[in-house]
Amino acid sequence: MAQMITIWVVVLLGLERFIAVCKPLRAKVWCTHRRVRMQLACVIVAAIVFAIPRFFTQTTKVTVNSCTSETTARVVASGLGKSKEYSISVNTIFLIIAYLVPLTLLTYINTKLITVVRKSYQDQSKLQHYRSKKSLKQKDKLTLMLIVVIAVFMVCETPVFINHLVYIKGYMGLPHSYFNVVSNTLVTLNSSVNFFIYFLFGKKFRRMMIKKFSKSKKSEQNHVFFSSSSSQEHPQVNIHDKIVSLDPEIEKKEISRYNAGC
């Protein structure tokens, strides 16, 4: 379920950038916060609905040892989970929805974005105004960052798609086990590598992260400095030490006045 949501979120990001670059006049109408929230909600609901039948593919089997009266519970496949027709149909639908359609869309989107970026770099030499050139460069960097994100995603997810195809046909022996480990490793890598891509290509993201960490470090240093300064500049004073040299009668009055003030 989480993997399907991740895949379609990347597709939504690619579509949003595709519209912003290739259909800029329609971007303000199609790429609004309300539409994005609705799209994310639809993806989450669809992923949950698709995952519901999987909760019924396993059941708990309780066995009682007649000699020791010990009860043991095991998770076993239910009738639905043992059904070969169900397994083939669900895996086929999953391959189409979670891999075939998204990878096809992302291939088309990435091809279009690469074409637009190449054309914009060719047009930059014709620009005369510095600000326009700078603005175009920033837009190209954002598009280039998303191209890299999609490319990494496709490289990491394609082996999983192949692995599912092999799984439908059946276990293929030791090579399949090795390939399964590699595909799972690539999926894990894809889940963690986007941060570094954003940090490398996103100037604003990089600036915000550096500012965030430097601010928290500076705040911690200031806290330690002021705590030590405060303890040095304002040491605790004992009232008895302060008035020990006074006359006994005056001392009693001062102590009474001090206690009354507290």
Side-chain angles (χ1 to χ4, degrees), residues 240-258:
H240 294 283
D241 295 338
K242 187 176 180 181
I243 60 177
V244 69
S245 60
L246 297 177
D247 185 78
E249 294 296 329
I250 299 175
E251 182 180 350
K252 290 180 181 179
K253 292 181 181 179
E254 289 292 332
I255 292 175
S256 300
R257 184 183 304 172
Y258 177 81

Side-chain angles (χ1 to χ4, degrees), residues 206-248:
R206 184 167 60 248
R207 185 171 62 248
M208 289 177 64
M209 291 300 299
I210 294 173
K211 184 179 178 181
K212 176 79 173 174
F213 282 105
S214 61
K215 185 178 179 181
S216 60
K217 187 175 180 181
K218 187 176 180 181
S219 176
E220 184 179 352
Q221 290 175 350
N222 289 339
H223 177 71
V224 173
F225 173 76
F226 284 118
S227 297
S228 59
S229 301
S230 160
S231 61
Q232 291 176 3
E233 293 176 5
H234 304 285
Q236 292 183 349
V237 179
N238 193 333
I239 184 63
H240 294 283
D241 295 338
K242 187 176 180 181
I243 60 177
V244 69
S245 60
L246 297 177
D247 185 78

Side-chain angles (χ1 to χ4, degrees), residues 46-58:
I48 292 173
V49 170
F50 183 80
I52 286 175
R54 297 197 176 195
F55 291 98
F56 302 98
T57 57
Q58 293 179 332

Side-chain angles (χ1 to χ4, degrees), residues 154-219:
M154 293 177 67
V155 169
C156 293
E157 294 291 339
T158 301
V160 185
F161 173 62
I162 298 172
N163 189 39
H164 277 81
L165 286 174
V166 175
Y167 179 77
I168 290 176
K169 292 184 177 181
Y171 181 69
M172 303 299 290
L174 191 60
H176 181 213
S177 298
Y178 290 141
F179 186 76
N180 186 46
V181 172
V182 172
S183 63
N184 289 336
T185 303
L186 288 174
V187 170
T188 306
L189 177 65
N190 182 57
S191 301
S192 59
V193 76
N194 285 347
F195 171 83
F196 300 100
I197 297 174
Y198 297 150
F199 191 85
L200 182 63
F201 287 92
K203 185 177 180 181
K204 185 177 179 181
F205 179 82
R206 184 167 60 248
R207 185 171 62 248
M208 289 177 64
M209 291 300 299
I210 294 173
K211 184 179 178 181
K212 176 79 173 174
F213 282 105
S214 61
K215 185 178 179 181
S216 60
K217 187 175 180 181
K218 187 176 180 181
S219 176

Side-chain angles (χ1 to χ4, degrees), residues 56-92:
F56 302 98
T57 57
Q58 293 179 332
T59 185
T60 304
K61 184 177 181 180
V62 180
T63 57
V64 181
N65 192 320
S66 58
C67 298
T68 61
S69 299
E70 183 181 356
T71 303
T72 306
R74 294 184 301 122
V75 177
V76 296
S78 64
L80 184 63
K82 292 177 181 178
S83 173
K84 190 175 181 180
E85 292 78 10
Y86 168 79
S87 178
I88 293 175
S89 59
V90 166
N91 280 286
T92 303

